[in-house]
Amino acid sequence: MKTETETIAGIEFRLAEIRAAVDEGREWLAKGRTLHFVSYSRNAGFSARPVYKERGSLPLVARGRFRLVTAREANSLIGFDLCLALEGGAR
């Protein structure tokens, strides 16, 4: 049986895995120095839009790693309330 996959920001996810993460509110993808907002549309499927790039000496997550996080966790990674402002307020 073939598992359906979706590639988001160069990372291959199982479709069920990414759907569950977004349903749980983990719609922010931290990958290396970049923070992406993960969204879904019926026509295009899942996509990730880069919204923040760390310019400091340390990446948001270790090289070669990624994390799907909530807006609150993403804000603590970058140090300010960027994610809540982009969503239009706290949930």
Side-chain angles (χ1 to χ4, degrees):
M1 178 154 103
K2 184 178 177 189
T3 305
E4 292 184 37
T5 60
E6 183 87 28
T7 302
I8 302 170
I11 301 168
E12 191 171 287
F13 290 94
R14 289 189 333 240
L15 204 51
E17 175 185 31
I18 193 67
R19 278 189 185 137
V22 169
D23 289 345
E24 292 170 3
R26 294 182 293 137
E27 52 198 15
W28 296 89
L29 173 65
K31 177 185 171 195
R33 295 180 184 274
T34 309
L35 184 67
H36 302 268
F37 180 71
V38 178
S39 60
Y40 176 78
S41 75
R42 286 183 144 181
N43 296 333
F46 285 96
S47 63
R49 177 180 50 147
V51 293
Y52 177 80
K53 178 131 176 120
E54 176 62 48
R55 304 212 191 287
S57 59
L58 295 174
L60 297 172
V61 292
R63 182 181 173 106
R65 306 276 185 212
F66 65 92
R67 286 181 54 199
L68 282 165
V69 295
T70 64
R72 187 169 315 253
E73 293 168 322
N75 286 331
S76 69
L77 278 175
I78 61 174
F80 58 92
D81 288 344
L82 168 74
C83 300
L84 294 178
L86 290 174
E87 287 183 343
R91 289 183 177 182

